[in-house]
Amino acid sequence: MNAPVTGASARPQGNYVAAKRHADVIYTAGMTPRRAGVLLLQGPVRADSPLEDYREAVTLACANALHAARARLTRGEDIDGVLSLTVFIWAAKAFSAHSRLADFASNYLAAELGTAGIGARAAVGVASLPGNAPVEIQLIATVSRRE
């Protein structure tokens, strides 16, 4: 899991679009940690595994969401900020560090967008995710025009 993180796997895996824009707000679909269409990691997030084992998967899912949002920009526009970030975690029963795992996504967005990358956030434990993905990330972002 040492390959560089790049968000380029925002292709829908079903009957939906990767991102939808309304005026200056972009809503992404839930993105899993796929690289070239292949899940980087599968299975639930386990309490007995170090959080670091999931860093790349969370970061890749977040990069895919940001990539999908950026694909909705037109010339002269940028992502202005993240309004909301939702991190869905396929959590094994004993796992309880949801917010700490979601910090990997927040840290990625802060590195990419600065303080504008930090918005409201929810970290939600779920019983399963599509394709047995350990994490799925959805974000809502605002758009600005460059001067």
Side-chain angles (χ1 to χ4, degrees), residues 44 87-93 98 123-130 133-136:
V87 181
F88 298 96
I89 301 161
W90 178 14
K93 188 173 184 170
H98 299 70
V124 182
V126 297
S128 67
L129 286 169
V135 65
E136 182 174 321

Side-chain angles (χ1 to χ4, degrees), residues 7 11 27 31 34 51 60 63 77 89 100 102 112 129 137 147:
R11 269 178 294 157
Y27 302 80
M31 297 291 164
R34 291 181 185 273
L51 288 179
L60 179 58
E77 294 181 329
I89 301 161
R100 290 182 50 217
E112 286 290 310
L129 286 169
I137 292 179
E147 297 296 322

Side-chain angles (χ1 to χ4, degrees), residues 31-91:
M31 297 291 164
T32 55
R34 291 181 185 273
R35 183 178 287 124
V38 177
L39 276 172
L40 176 71
L41 189 62
Q42 293 185 7
V45 176
R46 300 168 41 106
D48 60 351
S49 294
L51 288 179
E52 191 62 35
D53 289 356
Y54 302 100
R55 177 189 297 270
E56 187 176 6
V58 172
T59 303
L60 179 58
C62 194
N64 288 339
L66 185 57
H67 175 79
R70 284 178 167 156
R72 293 280 152 239
L73 298 174
T74 60
R75 177 169 288 203
E77 294 181 329
D78 289 312
I79 297 294
D80 184 48
V82 172
L83 293 176
S84 179
L85 171 69
T86 305
V87 181
F88 298 96
I89 301 161
W90 178 14

Side-chain angles (χ1 to χ4, degrees), residues 94-139:
F95 184 77
S96 63
H98 299 70
S99 63
R100 290 182 50 217
L101 198 67
D103 281 341
F104 293 140
S106 295
N107 293 344
Y108 172 79
L109 290 170
E112 286 290 310
L113 303 170
T115 58
I118 304 300
R121 184 182 83 185
V124 182
V126 297
S128 67
L129 286 169
N132 293 324
V135 65
E136 182 174 321
I137 292 179
Q138 186 270 337
L139 62 84

